[in-house]
Amino acid sequence: METVSHREMRNRSGEILRRVEAGESVRVTNNGRVAALIVPPAGGVLDGMIARGEARGPIADKEALLAIDPVASPTPSDQLVDDARGRW
């Protein structure tokens, strides 16, 4: 993923946006810090995260998830939350 400065984005916006449209992602910095991430609009937020390696795609289709029968937990949810938070 290329990183460009705010000034470069302003001066080369047409070229950069054509590359984003073609599927590339671009980081834009302002005063040396990342201020924006420009990604293609082809998919949703999750698709963009998968493309950037920030998330992974599903390992099964939606029907496999819907086929799972729900089961009531014998442990109350507030106790599960307390256990997950731990004791400090």
Side-chain angles (χ1 to χ4, degrees):
M1 176 183 317
E2 182 183 2
T3 301
V4 297
S5 68
H6 173 248
R7 179 176 290 183
E8 283 181 274
M9 180 62 197
R10 184 185 65 223
N11 293 339
R12 300 175 34 219
S13 62
E15 171 197 339
I16 292 169
L17 291 176
R18 279 189 292 278
R19 290 174 49 198
V20 170
E21 185 179 21
E24 293 183 46
S25 297
V26 177
R27 274 187 288 249
V28 181
T29 61
N30 193 21
N31 295 323
R33 294 188 311 257
V34 176
L37 179 62
I38 304 175
V39 296
V45 174
L46 183 58
D47 292 332
M49 290 177 70
I50 292 169
R52 293 187 303 274
E54 297 171 355
R56 61 183 172 157
I59 57 174
D61 59 1
K62 185 171 84 173
E63 285 71 32
L65 181 61
L66 294 173
I68 299 172
D69 293 327
V71 177
S73 172
T75 308
S77 58
D78 59 342
Q79 185 179 348
L80 293 172
V81 170
D82 287 341
D83 289 344
R85 289 182 179 156
R87 305 222 186 276
W88 300 98

